[in-house]
Amino acid sequence: MISKCSFLYQPKVQHGKVIGAEALLRIPGVSNIEDYISFISNKPLFDYTVIKKVLLERRSYQEYMGMSFPVSINMSIQSLESDFFVEKVSKLLVNESDIIFEITENDNYLSLNCVKNSMAKIKSLGVKFSLDDFGKGFSDIEHVLALDFDEIKIDGSLVKNIEITFIAIDILNTY
């Protein structure tokens, strides 16, 4: 099924300026990507395949347009527990730059130390890590503090109506 997938490159905007793009996976006939991915049993292989495809597409865009752009790629934190994934992705990342791996907050993992070590190895190659959708559902602040994220993307539900919802302001001020 991954061979039929495509990516929508959504601009990432900061202070009114486009600073890169997020590669959003699209699969024909699948309306809810999160649900689809939750049923994938081999997330390390899936994530590796997605990352490889995004990097190849970015290279093609670079050759065609004559410019590169920072790209964010969603992945499962479970892949960071896989030696296969870390080894294969590390090889893919040689001569790459401006890559951010986005991890959704609702993913579970078994070994904090394994995830931290894998993140450190991949970060040593110049990759950044982002925690995506912080505040969506149940937030685990220990998860946020224990891992070395370069950025935290706050879920829209936490900031919706923030000017009138003082509870949301209090939550954001504690982080």
Side-chain angles (χ1 to χ4, degrees):
M1 187 65 124
I2 193 75
S3 62
K4 296 179 183 178
C5 80
S6 63
F7 296 93
L8 171 69
Y9 290 89
Q10 177 177 299
K12 290 179 72 175
V13 178
Q14 189 174 53
H15 306 297
K17 180 181 175 193
V18 176
I19 60 166
E22 181 176 355
L24 301 175
L25 179 66
R26 297 295 179 252
I27 300 174
V30 176
S31 60
N32 190 322
I33 295 294
E34 286 182 30
D35 285 347
Y36 175 84
I37 291 172
S38 71
F39 289 106
I40 292 173
S41 58
N42 190 343
K43 286 194 173 68
L45 178 60
F46 179 80
D47 285 344
Y48 167 74
T49 306
V50 165
I51 291 166
K52 183 176 181 180
K53 192 166 183 170
V54 169
L55 294 178
L56 286 170
E57 282 188 8
R58 186 173 80 151
R59 257 184 244 125
S60 294
Y61 291 139
Q62 183 176 1
E63 290 171 12
Y64 179 74
M65 296 186 311
M67 60 177 259
S68 184
F69 56 91
V71 66
S72 297
I73 307 167
N74 293 296
M75 61 167 284
S76 170
I77 198 168
Q78 295 165 0
S79 293
L80 294 171
E81 295 182 294
S82 164
D83 291 336
F84 160 84
F85 175 82
V86 174
E87 181 181 320
K88 295 292 258 182
V89 166
S90 294
K91 289 178 183 174
L92 275 181
L93 294 170
V94 172
N95 298 323
E96 293 288 347
S97 62
D98 294 325
I99 307 291
I100 300 172
F101 288 154
E102 293 193 11
I103 297 170
T104 55
E105 192 210 355
N106 55 358
D107 281 345
N108 295 316
Y109 56 91
L110 299 174
S111 170
L112 177 63
N113 284 334
C114 183
V115 169
K116 286 172 77 170
N117 291 338
S118 295
M119 282 178 73
K121 182 174 183 178
I122 293 172
K123 284 181 84 153
S124 74
L125 301 170
V127 174
K128 294 182 178 178
F129 281 88
S130 174
L131 179 61
D132 197 12
D133 294 335
F134 179 74
K136 183 178 184 180
F138 178 73
S139 298
D140 184 357
I141 190 63
E142 289 181 35
H143 179 105
V144 175
L145 296 175
L147 298 173
D148 187 19
F149 289 107
D150 297 287
E151 72 177 6
I152 298 172
K153 292 173 57 181
I154 298 170
D155 187 69
S157 65
L158 197 56
V159 293
K160 184 180 179 184
N161 299 322
I162 195 166
E163 66 279 355
I164 58 172
T165 309
F166 294 109
I167 294 171
I169 294 171
D170 287 342
I171 291 170
L172 289 174
N173 282 334
T174 62
Y175 299 114

